[in-house]
Amino acid sequence: DVYTYANLTYLIAREDVPEEVIYNVLETIYSEKGINYMNTVHNRAKELNINSIQKLVKELNVPLHPGCIKFLKQNK
């Protein structure tokens, strides 16, 4: 075993990235297929879910991209 330091990964986008691009990225990552894949490459992916987005927003106090807002509204 090798012990390492791990930190959360944040997806950050500029305001001018089209809404559709951000929506599609999130839809891919948070789809059943996307989460299943992530679970094969890293054991911390078990924590990956839509609710974690809201938790990070509260902790970081950053605005959501319109594509993320659309994704969250359609996937509640």
Side-chain angles (χ1 to χ4, degrees), residues 16-75:
D16 61 349
V17 175
E19 180 179 301
E20 182 179 333
V21 171
I22 301 303
Y23 181 89
N24 289 339
V25 167
L26 293 173
E27 186 175 55
T28 300
I29 292 171
Y30 288 95
S31 69
E32 183 178 346
K33 183 178 178 181
I35 289 175
N36 287 339
Y37 172 75
M38 294 297 287
N39 281 318
T40 68
V41 296
H42 200 286
N43 63 358
R44 293 284 309 262
K46 295 173 192 155
E47 301 168 21
L48 188 63
N49 61 62
I50 294 172
N51 295 329
S52 64
I53 296 173
Q54 296 289 10
K55 181 181 176 189
L56 290 175
V57 169
K58 288 178 185 177
E59 291 176 5
L60 296 176
N61 196 27
V62 295
L64 291 175
H65 189 281
C68 183
I69 293 169
K70 178 181 176 183
F71 175 79
L72 290 173
K73 285 182 180 177
Q74 293 183 2
N75 291 282

